[in-house]
Amino acid sequence: MKKITIAIDGHSSCGKSTMAKDLAQEIGYIYIDSGAMYRACTLYAMRHGMITADGKVDTVALENQMPQIDVSFQLNASTGRPDTYLNGENVEAAIRTMEVSNLVSHVAALPFVRLAMTRLQQQMGEAGGIVMDGRDIGTAVFPNAELKFFVTASDEIRAQRRYDELKAKGEQPDFEAVLANLRERDHIDSTRAVNPLRQADDALVLDNSHMTKDEQRQWLLDRFHERIEACS
Ligand code: DC
């Protein structure tokens, strides 16, 4: 059976990663979290003193260091999902903190970072049979993807999901701060000069504000099977 490329884009914290991972697992495709790659670059910049707490990046230093930043994924046998590696170190937990979330949009807006990550993403997806989620997958990374989704949900519902996620990890988040971070990230992601977040003309829109996980799963699978049928 032909293996296609599936692009899932949309706003922060609308459950894209979880739905992309579940879909990939179910249909036997590889899952790639492109946001994790921008997060890993951000972590690198933080650890090397190249970004201030309010998001000012030493772009000269970071651009020089880009060839030294190796981001990859390895399947975690106990979760059955890929973990993110930065220069050989498993950084899956370190890239999910509020600190990284607060700074990542600034790093992801830099054209040289986007260029490097886009190239890497295109290499990873060369052979098809992948589900990749992010902000510009259907518009810039794989404009010819056979199946594209644009996912969204209301701000408050997305903030509540993120808040619950952080709480479950043992952090003590403040709901208003989580909501403000999410809105700020959406704003930076949608208004940046290079490959901003936008819905591809041929993307199918999924507003999951009031959908259960099962309804969403079934909806995605139905769209996948329809597409496969149309492609064969
Ligand atoms: O999906 P996420 O929240 O882990 O993404 C982290 C950040 O990276 C977010 O601010 C948007 C940015 N991003 C991007 O600019 N392009 C992508 N393809 C994926 C993520």
Side-chain angles (χ1 to χ4, degrees), residues 203-222:
L204 303 172
V205 178
L206 171 62
D207 181 335
N208 66 11
S209 301
H210 303 291
M211 268 173 126
T212 65
K213 285 230 164 85
D214 271 350
E215 286 168 344
Q216 183 173 278
R217 183 186 144 271
Q218 196 53 54
W219 187 87
L220 289 165
L221 278 176
D222 289 347

Side-chain angles (χ1 to χ4, degrees), residues 60-170:
V60 174
L62 185 58
E63 189 164 9
N64 279 332
Q65 287 292 303
M66 283 312 288
Q68 267 69 60
I69 303 181
D70 175 52
V71 184
S72 59
F73 296 97
Q74 275 178 43
L75 194 71
N76 178 324
S78 60
T79 61
R81 302 193 155 170
D83 280 350
T84 312
Y85 282 73
L86 170 62
N87 293 337
E89 175 194 348
N90 185 331
V91 291
E92 190 53 36
I95 60 169
R96 309 283 170 195
T97 61
M98 265 305 263
E99 208 186 348
V100 173
S101 297
N102 285 336
L103 294 174
V104 61
S105 284
H106 300 279
V107 173
L110 299 169
F112 62 85
V113 174
R114 299 209 71 78
L115 186 68
M117 292 305 113
T118 299
R119 281 201 182 131
L120 200 54
Q121 288 151 11
Q122 287 170 338
Q123 278 167 17
M124 289 173 172
E126 236 164 26
I130 59 152
V131 180
M132 190 177 290
D133 80 313
R135 305 293 188 287
D136 62 343
I137 309 306
T139 53
V141 180
F142 296 120
N144 298 322
E146 289 90 346
L147 186 56
K148 300 179 186 177
F149 295 108
F150 188 84
V151 193
T152 191
S154 77
D155 295 3
E156 285 75 14
I157 286 177
R158 290 186 291 128
Q160 187 63 50
R161 289 176 184 161
R162 183 85 190 113
Y163 174 90
D164 293 343
E165 225 174 77
L166 291 166
K167 267 275 219 233
K169 279 190 208 156

